[in-house]
Every structure is written in C-alpha cells, then in structure tokens.
C-alpha cells in the first residue's frame, strides 16, 4: 500500500496564504506566480508567513494589520512590489485612500522625507492605475469629525434626529473609530463616565455623511 507523505507546515500555510491573497488582490494567483517564478520556495515562505499565519492571527483587526504593514513598508523604503501589493490589500481590507496618505505623512516625520517622497511618487502611479482621485478625499474619520462639529453648531450638513443631536451635543465627549473605508463608529460619553450613553454608526460617501444610525444602551 502506497503511503502519501503529509504536507509540510510551510506548504500548508502557503496554500492558506495563497487562498487569502487571491481573495484580496485581483489576479492574485498570477501575480504571485510571476513575482516568485525564479524563487518559488521564497514565495512559499513569504506568502505562508504573511498571509497564512500572520493574517489569520486574532490580536489585530485586518485594517490595523494593513496600516502597520504599510507604515513599515514606507519606513523601509520598499517602493517596489511590497508597496504595490499592500496598496491593494490595504484597500481590500477597508483602508480608505486618504488613510494611506495620512499614514505616509505620519511616517515621514519618523523615517525621513526622502523615503516618504519616493513612496509618494509610487503612490501617484498606483492611484492612477486604480482609478482613484489624487489627492484622495479626506479620511472617513475627518469627514465625520466635521459632521459632528456642524451638528454641535446646530448647522448639520445632514438631517439628523433628536436622538442623534442629543448624543453629539456638548458637553458629551466623543470617541470616533473608523471601522471601514466608509464607516465610522462614535461613542458618546458624558462627564467622566466610562460607559457610553449611546453609539452612532455613520456612513460616509466621499466627503459627505449619507447615513447616521443611533444606538442606545438597552434598559436593565
């Protein structure tokens, strides 16, 4: 009876990582094959570690993972395939184009302008290839912050309910967290309270708020 040798751990991780990469990047399989055609073992190791193991860890959400990777790529001056690949995977995991340029600006203060400028030049081409506007619209969080200010001035840029006005009005403290390229979650706190009085889910399209949904804590 012929026995079949079990897959090695690296090969198993590679197959999982390749599947993930193909889901994230258009024509991802062909891109991997072309990139690692002369060093397939390197492809197995790199794809297996990054997309088979690290991508699947639960400690960070995928948006935060991609933000950290993008910042590391800029800091290392990797303006070739790593930047191109993670430009695409960042968008696929819900980072907004404006968030990438904000990351570039932030990293430039710590890694130096030459590397940041080299990245900016490559981003020009990547934005153009993806059909994205340059410069990109403000980040979702920035759009929602401006919206909150407009509500507090009683000049909302989008019609809102009395419940929304109540949660956004001063002296409530607001905590804003972008959860996708078009969504921001707001927690509304009063005074020194540590539990929010309510939460808002805000949907953004380009530079405009297009939907606001309020959630209040369930009564005991």
């Amino acid at each position: 009876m012929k026995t079949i040798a079990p897959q090695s751990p690296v090969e198993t991780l590679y197959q999982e990582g390749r599947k993930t990469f193909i889901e994230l990047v258009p024509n991802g399989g062909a891109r991997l094959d072309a990139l690692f055609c002369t060093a397939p073992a390197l492809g197995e190791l790199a794809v297996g570690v990054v997309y088979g193991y690290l991508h699947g860890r639960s400690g960070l959400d995928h948006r935060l993972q991609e933000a950290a990777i993008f910042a590391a790529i800029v800091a290392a001056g990797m303006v070739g395939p790593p930047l191109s690949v993670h430009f695409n995977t960042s968008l696929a995991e819900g980072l907004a184009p404006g968030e990438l340029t904000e990351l570039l600006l932030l990293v430039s203060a710590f890694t130096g302008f030459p590397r940041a400028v080299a990245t900016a030049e490559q981003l020009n081409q990547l934005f153009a290839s993806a059909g994205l506007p340059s410069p990109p619209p403000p980040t979702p969080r920035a759009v929602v912050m401006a919206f909150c200010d407009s509500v507090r001035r009683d000049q909302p840029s989008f019609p809102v309910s009395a419940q929304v006005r109540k949660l956004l009005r001063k002296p409530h403290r607001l905590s804003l967290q972008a959860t996708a390229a078009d969504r921001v979650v707001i927690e509304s706190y009063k005074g020194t309270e540590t539990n929010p009085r309510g939460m808002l889910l805000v949907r953004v399209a380009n530079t405009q708020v297009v939907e606001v949904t309020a959630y209040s804590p369930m009564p005991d």
Side-chain angles (χ1 to χ4, degrees), residues 2-79:
K2 184 177 180 181
T3 59
I4 300 176
Q7 280 189 322
S8 71
V10 171
E11 186 176 353
T12 299
L13 286 174
Y14 171 69
Q15 293 302 329
E16 294 175 359
R18 183 182 176 92
K19 180 176 180 294
T20 298
F21 188 86
I22 290 173
E23 291 172 352
L24 292 173
V25 178
N27 204 25
R31 291 197 64 173
L32 289 178
D33 294 340
L35 183 59
F36 296 110
C37 64
T38 59
L42 176 61
E44 290 183 3
L45 184 61
V47 175
V49 169
V50 175
Y51 293 100
Y53 175 66
L54 293 177
H55 186 271
R57 289 182 60 83
S58 59
L60 301 175
D61 65 71
H62 292 159
R63 268 176 45 88
L64 187 53
Q65 279 187 355
E66 285 297 334
I69 293 169
F70 182 83
I73 286 172
V74 175
M78 296 183 291
V79 296

Side-chain angles (χ1 to χ4, degrees), residues 17-199:
R18 183 182 176 92
K19 180 176 180 294
T20 298
F21 188 86
I22 290 173
E23 291 172 352
L24 292 173
V25 178
N27 204 25
R31 291 197 64 173
L32 289 178
D33 294 340
L35 183 59
F36 296 110
C37 64
T38 59
L42 176 61
E44 290 183 3
L45 184 61
V47 175
V49 169
V50 175
Y51 293 100
Y53 175 66
L54 293 177
H55 186 271
R57 289 182 60 83
S58 59
L60 301 175
D61 65 71
H62 292 159
R63 268 176 45 88
L64 187 53
Q65 279 187 355
E66 285 297 334
I69 293 169
F70 182 83
I73 286 172
V74 175
M78 296 183 291
V79 296
L83 179 63
S84 175
V85 165
H86 285 282
F87 173 79
N88 287 296
T89 55
S90 292
L91 296 178
E93 293 291 12
L95 281 172
E99 289 176 316
L100 295 179
T101 56
E102 283 292 327
L103 283 166
L104 175 61
L105 178 64
L106 181 66
V107 173
S108 71
F110 295 90
T111 193
F113 292 120
R115 288 184 176 182
V117 171
T119 302
E121 182 180 26
Q122 183 67 14
L123 280 181
N124 290 340
Q125 301 176 31
L126 292 171
F127 271 62
S129 297
L132 297 172
S134 294
T139 67
R141 190 176 186 277
V143 171
V144 174
M145 285 186 70
F147 164 76
C148 292
D149 288 340
S150 73
V151 174
R152 287 185 161 187
R153 296 193 309 268
D154 201 27
Q155 297 175 334
S157 58
F158 177 85
V160 295
S161 67
Q163 184 183 14
V164 170
R165 289 176 182 269
K166 182 178 179 180
L167 289 172
L168 292 182
R169 73 185 181 190
K170 294 180 179 180
H172 285 64
R173 294 183 293 107
L174 305 179
S175 173
L176 285 74
Q177 178 67 48
T179 59
D182 63 346
R183 290 187 298 277
V184 175
V185 172
I186 304 174
E187 294 177 336
S188 176
Y189 299 86
K190 190 171 184 180
T192 59
E193 293 177 346
T194 56
N195 292 323
R197 290 294 180 98
M199 300 177 63

